[in-house]
Amino acid sequence: MTNKSNTNREEEEEEEHGGELGAKISKLVWQGGSAYDAWFSCASNQVAQVLLTLPYSFSQLGMTSGIAFQLFYALLGTWTAYLITALYVEFRSRKERQKLHFRHHVIQWFEVLDGLLGKHWRNVGLAFNCTFLLFGSVIQLIACASNIYYINDKVEKRSWTYIFGACCATTVFIPSFRNYRIWSFLGLLMTTYTAWYLAIASLLHGPVEGVKHSGPTKVVLYFTGATNILYTFGGHAVTVEIMDAMWKPQKFKAIYAWATLYVLTLTLPSAAAVYWAFGDLLLDHSNAFSLLPRTPFRDIAVILMLIHQFITFGFASTPLYIVWEKAVGIHGSHCSLWKRALSRLPVVVPIWFLALVFPFFGPINSTVGSLLVSFTVYIIPSLAHMFTFWSPLARENAVEQPPKWLGRWAGAYTINIFVVAWVAIVGFGFGGWASVLNFIHQIDTFGLFTKCYQCPLPPPPHQLLNATTSLAPTP
């Protein structure tokens, strides 16, 4: 940040990337900052590997609760994304009145909290956000290994984690969210294909013989499934970075809502169709790919999801890279791309390690949702909004006034209190209890550093002996 007046960000970018053909191509596929780029980023970031675990959540919740929780948490997620937007706009407006600009500086959530509420809020926000993004990256790496196994099961999932950890480390070369233009667009196409493949393939397959739809059967499973959906619509932990990458951040207000509506057209049909076809079998198959027969269409979906998970790994890890750059003092400097990339590599190591330790595809989503997403995405933004505008003077001078149809500030405070209470009790309380119990059960069942989580077990030795004896020639 420097003491200069703020100019139009689009003009600045055009100035930096002149009129050469290479620069024009770069702007077309690389330099994204429009409202459309933000929409693709928001939608693509929400529907990564979670598409494959939502049928698992439906088997824990039952069809009715599964659909209801998706709609409910989509609404809550949209509201808290709006709060984060309002706080970002307020922070930026205050700083620009002080003649500060952010031409070479990426604004992040913890800085918004620091500027509006002080260092204690900054520290809490930084701790929760970084931990959530760390595990969000871990989940994408686990998902890569889980998915590729359904194309090549001759290599166990742990070895695939080593391989994809190295592949995902290449995201250190992507400077910021403004450089995800082509990736966000392709990522959403990939998840759209996968979602409709899951729905159509399940409908064509039909219910398996003797299919049962018993859910919900256990309180632990019920709240585990609910917190996975809480995690699904908690993808706006990177809202500030996506908004800050826009030429005109003030246009972000409705983007997240439209992105969430599109996401629901993918998550509801796919989860409902897979659960209808396979029912209780999903309780032991957290990855929906594991139950669908292998076809060229399924292999295409697996490959597309692998590419998309690489993209989503970048979405989750890029804010961590930027925090690390600020910590080591090179953010905003004119370092070469290679120097910045090398400085980011230490961030990848703990992500890689944790993916090897806890390869529990599905249950880890619920645990992260209850313990981290509940605070990072729902509780902290709601409390921050209330405390930022606590005084009448702050409310009167707020850049973003709550809509009149909502009841202005009284309506906003009522919703904020409800969100805090609901997520604290249901999401963090019951959800945390259920998810941690389920997570501990996975550790007891499979162990840490397990080679192949939920892979088919080899036949017992006596069966192999019987098979060998039956094949022996009769004397």
Side-chain angles (χ1 to χ4, degrees), residues 91-256:
F91 166 80
R92 190 176 180 98
S93 298
R94 291 184 186 183
K95 292 301 180 184
E96 288 176 352
R97 283 197 292 267
Q98 299 171 14
K99 305 300 182 183
L100 296 178
H101 92 115
F102 303 91
R103 181 174 178 179
H104 299 294
H105 183 94
V106 177
I107 300 173
Q108 295 186 276
W109 175 230
F110 72 92
E111 292 170 320
V112 173
L113 292 174
D114 186 22
L116 296 177
L117 295 168
K119 65 178 183 180
H120 296 302
W121 282 83
R122 175 200 65 196
N123 294 339
V124 171
L126 182 63
F128 272 103
N129 212 45
C130 286
T131 308
F132 167 46
L133 291 170
L134 177 72
F135 278 97
S137 304
V138 168
I139 288 169
Q140 301 310 318
L141 195 50
I142 294 170
C144 286
S146 177
N147 288 343
I148 191 63
Y149 180 79
Y150 297 113
I151 289 182
N152 184 348
D153 59 4
K154 298 186 185 304
V155 179
E156 72 275 1
K157 293 179 183 178
R158 188 169 68 186
S159 296
W160 281 122
T161 304
Y162 284 115
I163 295 168
F164 278 99
C167 295
C168 289
T170 58
T171 57
V172 298
F173 289 100
I174 303 176
S176 73
F177 276 92
R178 194 169 297 163
N179 308 115
Y180 276 94
R181 165 169 277 185
I182 190 66
W183 292 114
S184 297
F185 175 73
L186 293 176
L188 195 58
L189 291 181
M190 293 168 187
T191 49
T192 299
Y193 172 90
T194 303
W196 286 108
Y197 158 74
L198 291 174
I200 294 169
S202 298
L203 293 173
L204 293 177
H205 184 282
V208 296
E209 185 177 354
V211 64
K212 292 182 179 179
H213 300 89
S214 305
T217 56
K218 297 179 181 179
V219 175
V220 169
L221 294 179
Y222 187 83
F223 284 106
T224 301
T227 50
N228 185 43
I229 297 178
L230 178 83
Y231 170 84
T232 303
F233 294 97
H236 47 287
V238 294
T239 295
V240 171
E241 286 84 357
I242 293 174
M243 197 186 330
D244 192 62
M246 295 178 64
W247 311 127
K248 298 177 181 178
Q250 63 271 23
K251 289 187 175 182
F252 187 84
K253 188 187 302 182
I255 287 174
Y256 190 88

Side-chain angles (χ1 to χ4, degrees), residues 230-432:
L230 178 83
Y231 170 84
T232 303
F233 294 97
H236 47 287
V238 294
T239 295
V240 171
E241 286 84 357
I242 293 174
M243 197 186 330
D244 192 62
M246 295 178 64
W247 311 127
K248 298 177 181 178
Q250 63 271 23
K251 289 187 175 182
F252 187 84
K253 188 187 302 182
I255 287 174
Y256 190 88
W258 287 111
T260 300
L261 284 174
Y262 182 78
V263 167
L264 286 171
T265 68
L266 304 181
T267 58
L268 284 171
S270 59
V274 177
Y275 178 54
W276 170 78
F278 298 101
D280 292 353
L281 289 177
L282 287 159
L283 290 169
D284 298 314
H285 296 81
S286 53
N287 190 328
F289 281 144
S290 63
L291 291 173
L292 288 162
R294 182 169 184 178
T295 64
F297 294 106
R298 195 196 74 164
D299 287 352
I300 291 171
V302 172
I303 293 168
L304 291 181
M305 283 304 291
L306 284 172
I307 299 171
H308 186 262
Q309 277 147 6
F310 164 82
I311 298 167
T312 312
F313 181 94
F315 275 129
S317 59
T318 296
L320 294 175
Y321 297 151
I322 295 171
V323 170
W324 181 254
E325 286 178 1
K326 292 173 181 176
V328 298
I330 67 168
H331 183 70
S333 65
H334 293 283
C335 294
S336 69
L337 184 64
W338 280 96
K339 186 174 181 179
R340 290 181 68 184
L342 288 173
S343 72
R344 292 172 166 193
L345 282 175
V347 178
V348 180
V349 176
I351 296 171
W352 208 345
F353 177 75
L354 290 169
L356 293 167
V357 178
F358 306 114
F360 309 130
F361 186 85
I364 193 172
N365 291 25
S366 301
T367 307
V368 170
S370 60
L371 302 183
L372 297 172
V373 175
S374 57
F375 280 93
T376 304
V377 173
Y378 297 95
I379 294 176
I380 292 176
S382 298
L383 290 175
H385 189 263
M386 289 193 289
F387 279 97
T388 297
F389 302 107
W390 190 262
S391 69
L393 182 62
R395 293 195 294 272
E396 182 180 347
N397 295 324
V399 177
E400 183 66 43
Q401 296 283 340
K404 188 175 181 180
W405 59 265
L406 194 66
R408 293 295 188 190
W409 291 103
Y413 270 66
T414 301
I415 296 174
N416 285 342
I417 292 169
F418 171 79
V419 170
V420 171
W422 176 275
V423 175
I425 296 170
V426 178
F428 177 74
F430 290 108

